[in-house]
Amino acid sequence: METKRLRIAMQKSGRLSQDSQALLKSCGLKINLREDRLIAHVENMPIDILRVRDDDIPGLVMDGVVDLGIVGENVLEETMLERQALGLSVEYKTLRRLDYGDCRLSLAIPQEQVWSGPESLAGARIATTYPNLLKRFLAEQGVKFKPVMLTGSVEVAPRAGLADAICDLVSSGATLEANGLKEVQVIYRSKATLIQAAQELPADKQALVDKLMPRLQGMLQARESKYIMLHAPKDKLAEISALLPGAENPTIMDLAGDTNHVAMHVVSSESLFWETMEKLKALGASSILVLPIEKMME
Ligand code: ATP
Ligand code: MG
């Protein structure tokens, strides 16, 4: 079905919903959200937000039913393998990897068990929501196993006697520990990502995407950058610049009533660790300020 409005699919409720919504809002979209609605209209641009389960997002994009989607790479990759096996289209374009939704898909076994590499799992029953990623990994290792497909509560499967090991998403590891499991092998690292349908968009929709991408880029770049101001002794400028990541062209200004020091302003590509601040100070820098940046455009 063709629509004039750009369609973006994102998770309705879950770990990626808040950050995804906030990111789109920060790009200037006024989203009129009604919790119970599948479709949210963007008031100030011809965009509709489709709010669905994250598992459905890659398929919606690959089938060209929506134009863009925000989804975890883990779900994207799993769906791709599943669709490939079914002979369905697996084409899409990655527009930008995002800076949230960090997690890893890992193998975990009961704490008391000995781990001597993936071959320890030969013949084991492994519970997972990601059978295709697991199969790919263990096939590469030459290990045969019995998949136990679970869409939830994977971490209780060993205790419940349903499986010998699990392959599940981990961020801190606290859930594993609480269930008497230990993480023994990472098989996939994931973040949220913004993808686009493979087929060409109508010109007006593409123009809208082209307008949004620099904004998104600017937001993400601003989030990982800092504005750093400090006073520096004139004879230490090179050494000080060398300590500031991404500070090739600092702004240097005279200080009123002080001919030995200058004010130095830089946009740094990362935040400063305390250790770096201490080194700057040791070089004679003072009044060191590290400020967040709200937006940027190159
Ligand atoms: P849905 O109802 O949309 O199917 P879900 O239960 O499958 O939701 P969530 O638990 O909300 O999914 O996780 C969504 C995505 O968030 C994951 O696929 C993954 O990319 C990411 N994520 C980040 N950290 C974690 C974590 N600790 N555990 C699970 N997923 C995580
Ligand atoms: Mg899901």
Side-chain angles (χ1 to χ4, degrees):
M1 189 177 61
E2 281 289 316
T3 61
K4 285 219 147 49
R5 298 171 71 84
L6 187 77
R7 293 184 150 191
I8 308 178
M10 57 171 232
Q11 194 184 21
K12 178 161 197 260
S13 69
R15 285 192 159 90
L16 299 180
S17 332
Q18 291 298 327
D19 287 333
S20 302
Q21 234 175 78
L23 183 64
L24 293 181
K25 279 188 183 166
S26 73
C27 293
L29 280 70
K30 285 209 170 72
I31 306 174
N32 183 1
L33 243 192
R34 293 250 307 265
E35 264 319 307
D36 51 325
R37 289 275 174 91
L38 169 69
I39 294 182
H41 287 278
V42 174
E43 291 168 11
N44 57 339
M45 294 177 208
I47 301 176
D48 287 341
I49 310 286
L50 247 86
R51 304 163 66 239
V52 293
R53 291 204 55 181
D54 69 342
D55 315 66
D56 297 335
I57 296 171
L60 289 170
V61 173
M62 291 169 188
D63 288 332
V65 177
V66 299
D67 305 305
L68 307 184
I70 299 179
V71 68
E73 290 165 333
N74 53 319
V75 173
L76 179 61
E77 191 76 7
E78 174 69 20
T79 311
M80 220 168 73
L81 294 172
E82 188 184 324
R83 289 176 61 104
Q84 241 158 15
L86 293 169
L88 298 171
S89 149
V90 291
E91 278 175 54
Y92 68 91
K93 295 182 240 180
T94 298
L95 290 183
R96 180 68 154 85
R97 197 174 197 218
L98 304 173
D99 62 354
Y100 56 90
D102 270 87
C103 59
R104 51 193 191 270
L105 185 64
S106 288
L107 287 165
I109 60 173
Q111 251 148 27
E112 63 281 2
Q113 261 166 42
V114 191
W115 176 253
S116 48
E119 58 278 8
S120 310
L121 292 172
R125 294 167 304 160
I126 310 178
T128 190
T129 312
Y130 298 88
N132 293 291
L133 284 169
L134 175 60
K135 245 179 257 169
R136 180 171 72 183
F137 176 79
L138 286 181
E140 281 165 6
Q141 309 290 318
V143 173
K144 290 216 164 67
F145 72 105
K146 301 190 192 85
V148 177
M149 181 66 195
L150 289 178
T151 55
S153 311
V154 173
E155 66 284 355
V156 304
R159 245 193 342 195
L162 297 173
D164 308 306
I166 68 167
C167 173
D168 203 10
L169 293 178
V170 185
S171 48
S172 71
T175 313
L176 290 182
E177 204 173 316
N179 285 283
L181 300 170
K182 60 180 175 191
E183 183 178 3
V184 289
Q185 172 84 52
V186 176
I187 74 165
Y188 191 82
R189 290 189 189 277
S190 175
K191 273 179 190 264
T193 186
L194 172 66
I195 56 173
Q196 179 177 339
Q199 66 270 33
E200 222 172 283
L201 288 176
D204 51 341
K205 282 190 181 181
Q206 187 57 51
L208 188 52
V209 173
D210 292 344
K211 186 180 176 65
L212 289 177
M213 283 314 292
R215 293 187 182 186
L216 190 98
Q217 177 70 20
M219 282 311 303
L220 295 169
Q221 213 178 345
R223 292 216 284 234
E224 64 196 28
S225 305
K226 297 287 176 216
Y227 194 85
I228 297 166
M229 310 198 275
L230 51 82
H231 292 176
K234 277 184 179 163
D235 57 348
K236 290 281 166 26
L237 287 181
E239 282 159 84
I240 287 177
S241 296
L243 286 173
L244 302 170
E248 288 78 22
N249 300 304
T251 306
I252 306 285
M253 285 164 286
D254 286 332
L255 286 171
D258 182 345
T259 50
N260 298 323
H261 294 80
V262 287
M264 187 167 165
H265 289 196
V266 303
V267 173
S268 162
S269 53
E270 27 186 286
S271 194
L272 285 193
F273 291 111
W274 282 112
E275 288 73 15
T276 312
M277 307 259 297
E278 286 152 7
K279 281 186 199 154
L280 290 169
K281 180 122 187 127
L283 284 170
S286 60
S287 306
I288 309 168
L289 297 182
V290 180
L291 308 176
I293 299 173
E294 194 192 67
K295 296 187 179 75
M296 59 202 280
M297 197 172 260
E298 296 201 314

